[in-house]
Amino acid sequence: MIFVMDGGAKDSGEPAKERASRARPERALISIVAPCYNEGEAIGPFMTVLEPILDKMTFDYELLFVDDGSTDATRVQLEKLVEENPRVKAIFFSRNFGKEAALTAGLDHAAGDAVIVIDTDLQDPPELILDFVEKWREGSDVVYGKREERAADTMAKRLTAEGFYRLFNRISAVKIPENTGDFRLMDRRVIEAIKALPERSRFMKGLFAWAGFSAVAVPYSRPERAAGTSKFNLWKLWNFALDGIISFSTAPLRIWSYIGAVVALFSFLYASLVIIRTLMTGVDVPGYASLIVLILFFGGVQMISIGVLGEYLARLFVEVKRRPIYVVDEVIGGDKAAS
Ligand code: UDP
Ligand code: MG
């Protein structure tokens, strides 16, 4: 391995810095990784836009589709693409494993000197690929698309996304750039660093940021979906956000010691007050309201803290089982056979 790993004991919290320019090979292979789940309607328009752009590129390319257990015409479409274009390769999962697993499979199978991750619904404008590759050629290891404007998203989605990024970056040692999706180019060295991460719970945006290296942003405005519908509903997004935070921060786990300490301090003060008052004015029986309020309040606090323990324990359980992140049904196309 060419890079140094310190077991993740100390995550670098600093943003990636500009580093000395790194020479790129004259002849390089660029891998495009495109996860798709029920994108039968979107793949056609996606290829129409993408192919001419890739042909304009000075480097050779391979186009890697990861079919995340689609139940629509996606498979048929991909089989057709593989026949038409020898640079297209398709990996079919045995069932739906989720976008993070699909991305992981794409990175595992990509052979390129640089890998570009892109959605198949044209929400990540393919024309940016040329800028990405140019920036990579100039020496950047990571080039990511930054959404300057999210008019295509609802107000609620924008606000919750903003809140999530703010909270994540406050409590996690690894910082993720705001308004950045998975759409990015990564150098081979970055890919190798990410491939070395063994965790099952894969919050890719966090893993990308964890790897570090020099990064530059290319701003763009995110268009509406070309066809089909979003695969992420509110519940899925909530779980995704929870996964991200819990995988990258232990703050929710540790905060209870502090909350407990503060509560204990207040109860001590309140107890002293009650004792002094009882000594001075005698026993007073009324107090049902304050008692029940306190009992309910602390019951709630305890439930929450046990719930947080459960969240970590559940993820620990998943990690300990060490199940594979995805199961491949079949790999077709490309020069190489199934790996
Ligand atoms: N996707 C996937 N597996 C899933 C859900 C989504 O591979 O379980 C793919 C999907 O086909 C698309 C990308 O991930 O290429 C982004 O999904 P989507 O457009 O639904 O998300 P949004 O843009 O609404 O956040
Ligand atoms: Mg989309």
Side-chain angles (χ1 to χ4, degrees):
M1 243 179 262
I2 29 159
F3 46 86
V4 182
M5 298 253 127
D6 59 2
K10 208 171 149 44
D11 289 327
S12 158
E14 286 167 31
K17 295 181 198 75
E18 280 295 336
R19 273 164 227 174
S21 176
R22 175 176 298 274
R24 302 295 180 200
E26 280 282 298
R27 296 165 55 83
L29 178 69
I30 308 287
S31 301
I32 316 283
V33 167
C36 36
Y37 177 48
N38 292 344
E39 300 287 8
E41 288 166 42
I43 286 182
F46 175 67
M47 280 307 272
T48 315
V49 180
L50 183 68
E51 263 182 324
I53 291 168
L54 293 180
D55 289 335
K56 259 190 252 164
M57 209 165 57
T58 47
F59 295 121
D60 201 6
Y61 73 88
E62 65 166 358
L63 181 48
L64 221 72
F65 285 98
V66 185
D67 178 8
D68 187 8
S70 298
T71 49
D72 68 348
T74 303
R75 187 174 190 127
V76 185
Q77 294 257 12
L78 291 180
E79 283 166 353
K80 207 171 86 203
L81 287 180
V82 164
E83 259 172 43
E84 288 165 3
N85 186 339
R87 292 193 172 87
V88 175
K89 196 168 162 178
I91 301 163
F92 299 97
F93 279 1
S94 59
R95 64 167 171 86
N96 179 247
F97 280 90
K99 185 183 179 188
E100 311 303 295
L103 288 179
T104 304
L107 302 190
D108 287 347
H109 286 77
D113 299 292
V115 178
I116 294 172
V117 172
I118 187 168
D119 286 357
T120 42
D121 57 2
L122 288 177
Q123 283 199 292
D124 298 338
E127 53 274 18
L128 255 65
I129 287 180
L130 296 176
D131 296 339
F132 282 11
V133 172
E134 190 49 33
K135 292 253 167 16
W136 174 73
R137 212 182 48 75
E138 286 167 6
S140 297
D141 292 309
V142 178
V143 189
Y144 59 88
K146 193 172 168 66
R147 301 169 191 172
E148 284 290 87
E149 189 230 338
R150 306 183 55 144
D153 290 334
T154 59
M155 185 72 167
K157 187 159 180 184
R158 262 178 288 165
L159 285 179
T160 47
E162 204 173 293
F164 168 75
Y165 285 119
R166 201 167 299 152
L167 177 68
F168 185 98
N169 285 335
R170 171 156 297 183
I171 65 179
S172 160
V174 176
K175 309 292 174 217
I176 50 178
E178 270 182 45
N179 287 323
T180 303
D182 296 318
F183 185 32
R184 63 186 63 218
L185 173 148
M186 286 166 288
D187 183 66
R188 172 57 41 196
R189 298 187 302 152
V190 185
I191 301 296
E192 291 304 323
I194 293 166
K195 276 166 70 179
L197 297 176
E199 52 243 75
R200 317 286 109 174
S201 174
R202 297 187 81 77
F203 179 65
M204 293 308 276
K205 274 196 271 282
L207 301 186
F208 292 156
W210 178 90
F213 293 102
S214 62
V216 285
V218 175
Y220 72 102
S221 71
R222 188 161 165 88
E224 303 259 6
R225 223 172 200 284
T229 51
S230 173
K231 310 295 179 288
F232 288 91
N233 56 31
L234 202 62
W235 178 243
K236 256 187 158 182
L237 280 175
W238 161 254
N239 279 305
F240 185 54
L242 215 58
D243 243 358
I245 286 178
I246 288 175
S247 304
F248 279 88
S249 173
T250 50
L253 204 52
R254 287 180 299 134
I255 197 171
W256 296 101
S257 330
Y258 299 97
I259 293 179
V262 170
V263 168
L265 181 72
F266 277 110
S267 7
F268 178 74
L269 293 179
Y270 184 64
S272 316
L273 186 80
V274 170
I275 291 169
I276 293 169
R277 211 175 50 193
T278 312
L279 288 177
M280 304 212 343
T281 64
V283 184
D284 66 333
V285 178
Y288 171 76
S290 58
L291 266 181
I292 199 74
V293 165
L294 285 177
I295 288 172
L296 290 177
F297 175 73
F298 289 116
V301 169
Q302 278 163 8
M303 293 278 223
I304 293 171
S305 57
I306 293 173
V308 172
L309 282 181
E311 293 288 340
Y312 281 90
L313 197 66
R315 279 163 185 79
L316 212 62
F317 184 52
V318 169
E319 297 294 335
V320 165
K321 282 191 284 187
R322 303 199 59 81
R323 288 185 181 158
I325 297 160
Y326 55 87
V327 176
V328 173
D329 173 13
E330 197 186 348
V331 182
I332 57 168
D335 299 332
K336 280 161 244 123
S339 46

